[in-house]
Amino acid sequence: MLVLGIETSCDETGIALFDTSSGLLAHELHSQIAMHAEYGGVVPELASRDHIRRIIPLIRTALHQADKTFNDLNAIAYTEGPGLAGALLVGASVAEGLAASLNIPRIGIHHLEGHLLAPLLEPTPPKFPFIALLVSGGHTQLMRVNEIGNYRKLGETLDDAAGEAFDKTAKILNLGYPGGPALSKLAETGDPNRFKLPRPLIRSKDLNFSFSGLKTAVLTLSNTVRLDETLIRDIAASFQAAIVDVLTFKALLALKQENLTRLVVAGGVGANKQLRQQMNTLVNQYGGTVHYPKIEFCTDNGAMIAFAGAMRLAEASQKPGFCIRARWPLEELH
Ligand code: KG4
Ligand code: ZN
């Protein structure tokens, strides 16, 4: 079964082809970062228009790369949400048009399901059940993943997402947009112990997070000192150390609470080197293993959507052709 994946939830047009017997055949990405950078953030209308410009050429390139044609496709998976409405509509309407013209199914995928299944694209995928730490620009959640489609939320951020905290802090330090990668690069040569920043909710005993206070602590600090290059590096390193301490502590707590040993870290912040190092050390000491997508599949991409679509398709094909429901509340009708 050959599945075309389409991701257009925010500022990346991601297209991929996943084959259920031979794996990922092609993936293409166009990032709009340069276009939005001059505005300091994503401009939704510009994002939608750029997806419209890019999507069909990217699909053609992916098909060409995989030596396939439209007629070889068996299904089309697209990001149904969450995301920017206009941007989502571009992917959804292209998926609908193609699926109708080729007479094949169209599968709407939850963007976060795409992220959390992305490590399963790797050569040694984690076995179910596992804990997933989802750390992106819009979400920070700990989930228990029992199997495809069976997810239980264990905790989440009460305010800013981890990526959002990286980006807002980077903005305070004048590091441009999106600042997460730039901040973490600077942090590599900074002193993480120079400033003692708070580790919010680290003693809360639950699995929730809160990062807006950390960003405010950086704002207050940067207002009281004259920022020079060394200071910016040290603030970046101290901020990163605080956020990584909290993320690793809570991920380990989730493993302990659920009595599991396998952890998946997914989403854009999963590309962070310091997070990966500290998480590996802590989880390995505990006797567990950490699974990541490859760096390029941490941030938004079409491969994770094509893969999630293929998994959904495989699952649906194993279900009986019909079912009955003895109990069926009207609210569950969709
Ligand atoms: O998953 P993603 O591409 O988009 C969402 O679904 O939100 O994540 C993007 C986020 C941004 O906030 C970006 O700054 C952050 O991931 N990010 C990083 C790194 N690379 C991307 N944050 C910290 N360190 C990185 N190396
Ligand atoms: Zn994402």
Side-chain angles (χ1 to χ4, degrees):
M1 292 283 241
L2 183 64
V3 182
L4 171 70
I6 300 177
E7 155 63 33
T8 63
S9 68
C10 190
D11 57 351
E12 257 113 23
T13 319
I15 300 295
L17 287 165
F18 184 86
D19 186 273
T20 44
S21 44
S22 42
L24 191 63
L25 300 185
H27 67 96
E28 294 294 319
L29 187 88
H30 175 76
S31 169
Q32 304 174 355
I33 284 179
M35 184 180 79
H36 297 293
E38 67 176 292
Y39 303 96
V42 178
V43 183
E45 184 57 26
L46 293 183
S48 313
R49 289 174 189 219
D50 200 62
H51 285 308
I52 292 171
R53 264 195 299 275
R54 309 284 175 183
I55 192 164
I56 300 294
L58 283 176
I59 293 174
R60 287 192 192 285
T61 309
L63 285 168
H64 180 72
Q65 294 284 334
D67 204 14
K68 300 284 181 193
T69 68
F70 282 108
N71 288 327
D72 294 319
L73 298 175
N74 301 109
I76 302 185
Y78 68 100
T79 303
E80 186 172 329
L84 300 171
L88 289 167
L89 264 174
V90 178
S93 49
V94 167
E96 172 63 11
L98 277 179
S101 66
L102 298 169
N103 197 21
I104 56 176
R106 163 184 60 68
I107 312 159
I109 298 294
H110 195 294
H111 181 78
L112 296 183
E113 180 178 43
H115 273 304
L116 74 82
L117 296 182
L120 274 65
L121 278 162
E122 295 308 298
T124 47
K127 290 201 176 82
F128 295 109
F130 56 78
I131 297 292
L133 172 68
L134 269 175
V135 272
S136 71
H139 296 85
T140 297
Q141 297 181 342
L142 274 162
M143 316 280 301
R144 182 187 167 106
V145 177
N146 290 317
E147 56 184 346
I148 304 281
N150 184 341
Y151 313 124
R152 183 156 57 83
K153 194 178 352 170
L154 305 171
E156 65 183 331
T157 182
L158 305 178
D159 40 55
D160 290 352
E164 191 180 357
F166 265 98
D167 295 341
K168 286 180 174 170
T169 304
K171 205 167 189 171
I172 296 169
L173 301 176
N174 290 319
L175 302 179
Y177 162 84
L183 189 152
S184 71
K185 186 96 200 69
L186 275 183
E188 281 175 20
T189 49
D191 174 5
N193 300 313
R194 174 139 180 215
F195 301 104
K196 270 270 150 276
L197 294 173
R199 269 65 176 160
L201 297 188
I202 205 157
R203 309 222 171 276
S204 67
K205 296 208 171 72
D206 60 20
L207 295 170
N208 290 329
F209 304 90
S210 165
F211 295 119
S212 73
L214 188 52
K215 161 208 70 195
T216 311
V218 172
L219 181 64
T220 313
L221 178 63
S222 62
N223 284 336
T224 54
V225 288
R226 260 201 49 222
L227 290 179
D228 59 26
E229 206 179 302
T230 313
L231 213 61
I232 291 180
R233 288 177 195 279
D234 292 346
I235 295 177
S238 303
F239 165 83
Q240 182 172 265
I243 206 159
V244 166
D245 273 358
V246 177
L247 290 172
T248 50
F249 184 89
K250 295 266 170 160
L252 197 64
L253 187 61
L255 285 175
K256 289 177 183 165
Q257 266 187 21
E258 295 296 312
N259 204 15
L260 292 176
T261 52
R262 289 173 295 273
L263 175 74
V264 152
V265 179
V269 183
N272 186 279
K273 268 196 209 160
Q274 180 60 28
L275 176 68
R276 286 184 173 218
Q277 262 171 27
Q278 200 162 315
M279 195 68 93
N280 290 344
T281 307
L282 274 179
V283 174
N284 291 345
Q285 272 167 8
Y286 174 66
T289 48
V290 196
H291 301 260
Y292 307 90
K294 57 163 79 92
I295 296 281
E296 62 187 316
F297 295 155
C298 281
T299 44
D300 293 347
N301 65 84
M304 65 184 194
I305 302 302
F307 178 73
M311 294 299 103
R312 289 268 166 195
L313 211 60
E315 199 202 17
S317 69
Q318 280 159 17
K319 283 194 177 143
F322 66 89
C323 63
I324 56 155
R325 296 202 202 194
R327 288 174 183 276
W328 195 2
L330 193 55
E331 307 93 277
E332 283 180 15
L333 191 68
H334 20 227

